[in-house]
């Protein structure tokens, strides 16, 4: 500030992450966008929330405070699905845990408000975005109010906030009071009932009614879920006590390709602040420093994912020129070894909108693009993405381009050409391709909004065919999820048998994590599928969730008791024995009935070779 002769800043940005000036970090994008519009911004990363003076280092900002919990919800950042404290934080210097509070958005806002009673506070980031209306909070097991009320902030920007924050900044700079900014797209505001024009939107069930009736919450959420498209969405009103309303304005319009290029071509330093060198840097930079964002938004529609609610379904892309220029700059970095770690986004192979209609009139309200079947209007060509990857490979200094963000194999399978899969196998993976079938029980997959098992099996066959043709020995490593709503022990056993048949021993399994504002979280809380309002089974006890997870990792000796108990409970004694299809062996001197087949056949008492190798590797580690 002294160097630039500044006596005050326009905005002070308070963030739960360490300061990393890279476009994969929300605070970097929002700050750089504001600076490009002529505003001055100071950043206070990870202030000491127990010390009021920590918020006062820049003094009083001219226009307002910006508050974000960081790139993750602070509760997800702090706790595992078992509600145990995580040991490290990749978004903090040295990976140190404990440098941000629980519910950081609320805590930081209240900290500011104690010192600055009347300075506007604008919320943003994933935590605020997904808690913008009443939401289920897994960690307290309660339905919470809009974060705007608990934080005492004035306005909340949701989704990808470039357009909204510039409009808010321009309005404040022109002298408009923050209390009058009730009309800006991509924002949520507080109103008194007598200030609202309810006829211009949809009135959701009141918060007290949601508390008393879980089905009403499921209905309310489905209305919100269908109002995430900027072309068709209307304002939403949620009533609280004391005649207070929360108004959610329609989402911001998607960025054009030129807009996207402008955002990602701002002069980022592309690394963490030098003050963190003494701590060994910020771990999160390692994976993204040499990765390129080519798109945002996702039309995948997975029930457990918040992308639909946050970024929206309309895919927005950068131009090839912009991406190639970024990679050229990347090659000049002294730490660059020739490897581009990723070219993608939420889904790597979505490098254009789902269909031409979306760019003109938005996504369909009452159907998904890929589920339950792929829409006939879908543009499934990967030609543009293949050409981009080929052009990146030609850049001097680039040895190899990896693709590490998600691949939608069901979408890939609809492409009439094998060009992308062939290119993927030849150039962009190294022995293993990670994809996310999540499960193989069709009833569970339906709850997840994922394609059927038959689609995954067809993809595996196609993948093997392409690898044989290209002379590669490569494997698919599936991401699997346990305990998702709709998954019973029977389904978990079906998945375990499938894994056994495939000769695969997963080292990582994700328990379903009920994070705010996803369809799956609503199922978990209400016991109802909001899409059809039918009851759905929800595994909630820690014991059953542990059993479902153990079944996926049945080969791990530490899981033996849980697997055995689950099999006996479901009457699947046939899976305890020495037959090749059995999941576990009986205990020594056990009187339990063995698999009949195994008593009449020659027994191969050696475990599956692949599984045995995994155990050997674990022992070595």
């Amino acid at each position: 500030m002294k160097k630039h002769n500044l006596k005050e800043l326009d905005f002070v940005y308070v963030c739960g992450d360490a300061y990393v000036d890279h476009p994969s970090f929300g605070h970097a994008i929002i700050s750089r966008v504001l600076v490009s519009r002529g505003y001055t911004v100071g950043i206070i990363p990870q202030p000491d929330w127990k010390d009021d003076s920590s918020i006062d280092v820049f003094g009083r900002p001219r226009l307002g405070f910006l508050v974000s919990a960081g790139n993750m919800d602070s509760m997800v950042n702090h706790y595992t699905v078992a509600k145990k404290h995580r040991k490290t934080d990749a978004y903090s210097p040295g990976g140190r845990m404990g440098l941000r509070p629980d519910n950081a958005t609320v805590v930081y806002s209240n900290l500011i408000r104690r010192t600055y009673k009347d300075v506007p506070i604008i919320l943003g980031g994933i935590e605020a975005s997904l808690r913008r209306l009443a939401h289920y909070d897994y960690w307290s097991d309660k339905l919470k109010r809009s974060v705007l009320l608990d934080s005492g902030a004035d306005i909340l920007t949701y989704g990808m906030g470039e357009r909204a924050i510039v409009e808010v900044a321009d309005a404040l700079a022109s002298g408009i009071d923050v209390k009058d900014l009730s009309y800006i797209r991509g924002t949520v505001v507080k109103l008194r009932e007598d200030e609202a024009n309810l006829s211009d939107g949809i009135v959701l069930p009141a918060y007290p009614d949601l508390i008393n009736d879980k089905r009403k919450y499921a209905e309310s959420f489905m209305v919100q879920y269908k109002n995430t498209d900027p072309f068709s969405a209307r304002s939403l009103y949620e009533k609280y006590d004391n005649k207070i309303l929360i108004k959610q304005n329609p989402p911001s319009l998607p960025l054009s390709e030129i807009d996207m290029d402008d955002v990602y071509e701002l002069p980022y330093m592309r690394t963490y602040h030098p003050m963190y060198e003494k701590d060994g840097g910020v771990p999160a930079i390692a994976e993204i420093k040499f990765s390129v964002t080519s798109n945002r938004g996702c039309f995948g529609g997975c029930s457990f994912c918040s992308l639909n609610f946050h970024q929206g379904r309309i895919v927005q892309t950068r131009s090839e020129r912009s991406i190639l220029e970024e990679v050229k700059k990347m090659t000049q970095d002294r730490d660059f070894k020739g490897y581009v770690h990723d070219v993608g986004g939420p889904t790597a192979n979505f490098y254009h909108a789902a269909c031409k209609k979306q760019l003109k009139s938005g996504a369909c309200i009452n159907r998904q693009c890929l589920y339950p079947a792929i829409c006939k209007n879908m543009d499934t060509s990967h030609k543009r993405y293949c050409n981009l990857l080929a052009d990146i490979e030609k850049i001097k200094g680039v040895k190899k381009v990896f693709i590490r963000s998600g691949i939608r194999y069901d979408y890939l399978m609809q492409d009439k050409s094998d060009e992308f899969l062939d290119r993927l196998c030849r150039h962009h993976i190294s022995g293993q391709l990670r994809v996310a079938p999540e499960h193989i029980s069709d009833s569970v997959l339906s709850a997840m909004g994922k394609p059927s098992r038959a689609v995954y099996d067809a993809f595996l066959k196609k993948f093997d065919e392409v690898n044989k043709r290209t002379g590669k020995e490569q494997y698919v490593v599936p991401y699997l999820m346990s305990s998702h709503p709709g998954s019973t022990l029977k389904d978990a056993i079906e998945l375990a048998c499938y894994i056994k048949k495939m000769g695969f021993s997963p080292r990582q399994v994700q328990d379903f994590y009920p994070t705010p504002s996803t369809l799956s979280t609503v199922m978990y809380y209400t016991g109802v599928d909001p899409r059809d309002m039918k009851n759905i089974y929800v595994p909630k006890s820690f014991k059953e969730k542990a059993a479902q997870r153990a079944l996926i990792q049945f080969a791990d000796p530490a899981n033996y008791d849980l697997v055995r108990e689950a099999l006996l409970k479901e009457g699947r004694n046939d899976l305890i024995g020495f037959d090749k299809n059995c999941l576990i062996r009986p205990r020594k001197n056990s009187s339990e009935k063995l698999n009949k087949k195994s008593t009449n056949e020659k027994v191969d008492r050696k475990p599956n070779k692949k599984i045995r190798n995994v155990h050997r590797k674990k022992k070595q580690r």
Side-chain angles (χ1 to χ4, degrees), residues 355 364 367-371 373-380:
C355 65
C364 299
R367 67 153 295 155
Q368 293 290 326
C369 300
L370 299 178
Y371 173 84
I374 289 183
C375 176
K376 63 181 181 180
N377 297 319
M378 176 77 69
D379 178 359
T380 58

Side-chain angles (χ1 to χ4, degrees), residues 353-364:
C355 65
K356 292 180 180 178
K357 168 189 169 292
Q358 287 192 354
L359 297 176
K360 295 180 179 178
S361 51
C364 299

